[in-house]
Amino acid sequence: MTIRPIRVLGDPVLRTPCETVTSFDAELRALVRDLLDTVTGEPGRAGVAAPQIGVGLRVFSYAANKQVGYLVNPTITMVDGTQDGEEGCLSIPGLWFPTPRAMHATAEGFDEHGEPVTVSGSGLLARALQHETDHLDGTLYVDTLKGDARRQALRAVRAQFAGPRS
């Protein structure tokens, strides 16, 4: 089992849109294994995207609503309804903010061999699919916040991630 360290805010890989996977090879299969080990190897994790472990490819794993899996080159193809709730991110540890998301989501992508896969879910799984797909575009959940929630999040992020001032 390989649990990879999580990159945190400030690492440029988190803000860089990921490259599309074009080779469904042993290297991709190793990445998928690492993503699955990383999401399931620590309690409370709902998803891990490749950039969170330093890899700029469009791949993520998820473990939500008793479903564990991954998607390569995912796209969200359907959203429906709305859910409110606190959302956090392994790359912004310790901070949680109310983040509206669709209540139901469907994502389409591929497995490690290039075969088409569709994942649909509600609640936490829908949130995870949306959150992890955002990561692949270089977007963090705090970027999606509006109004007072955004102001509070940005203030907290600055306080937590600001380096010492000289």
Side-chain angles (χ1 to χ4, degrees):
M1 176 175 266
T2 303
I3 299 174
R4 302 267 295 266
I6 301 294
R7 304 290 179 97
V8 296
L9 187 64
D11 189 317
V13 72
L14 296 172
R15 294 297 195 174
T16 305
C18 293
E19 298 291 323
T20 300
V21 172
T22 57
S23 296
F24 292 82
D25 56 12
E27 191 173 316
L28 174 65
R29 288 187 289 284
L31 172 61
V32 165
R33 274 192 311 280
D34 286 355
L35 285 166
L36 289 168
D37 287 350
T38 302
V39 78
T40 60
E42 298 283 338
R45 293 183 170 180
V48 175
Q52 291 183 281
I53 62 170
V55 179
L57 290 174
R58 295 190 68 80
V59 185
F60 69 75
S61 61
Y62 59 88
N65 297 2
K66 298 182 181 178
Q67 293 184 46
V68 175
Y70 67 92
L71 281 172
V72 177
N73 297 335
T75 56
I76 300 291
T77 57
M78 186 281 299
V79 292
D80 185 47
T82 57
Q83 63 174 307
D84 294 316
E86 298 280 312
E87 191 165 316
C89 180
L90 298 171
S91 294
I92 309 175
L95 299 179
W96 293 77
F97 295 96
T99 307
R101 294 281 187 183
M103 177 56 83
H104 311 283
T106 298
E108 294 179 2
F110 300 91
D111 71 9
E112 63 190 8
H113 303 288
E115 296 298 320
V117 175
T118 300
V119 179
S120 295
S122 299
L124 182 59
L125 181 54
R127 184 176 292 277
L129 294 172
Q130 294 164 83
H131 180 110
E132 301 310 326
T133 299
D134 282 351
H135 269 300
L136 304 181
D137 296 326
T139 301
L140 299 173
Y141 84 100
V142 293
D143 300 330
T144 70
L145 301 176
K146 308 264 187 270
D148 192 48
R150 181 170 175 77
R151 285 187 291 280
Q152 289 177 12
L154 294 178
R155 195 174 306 120
V157 165
R158 278 193 299 275
Q160 183 166 331
F161 290 93
R165 300 197 192 274
S166 11

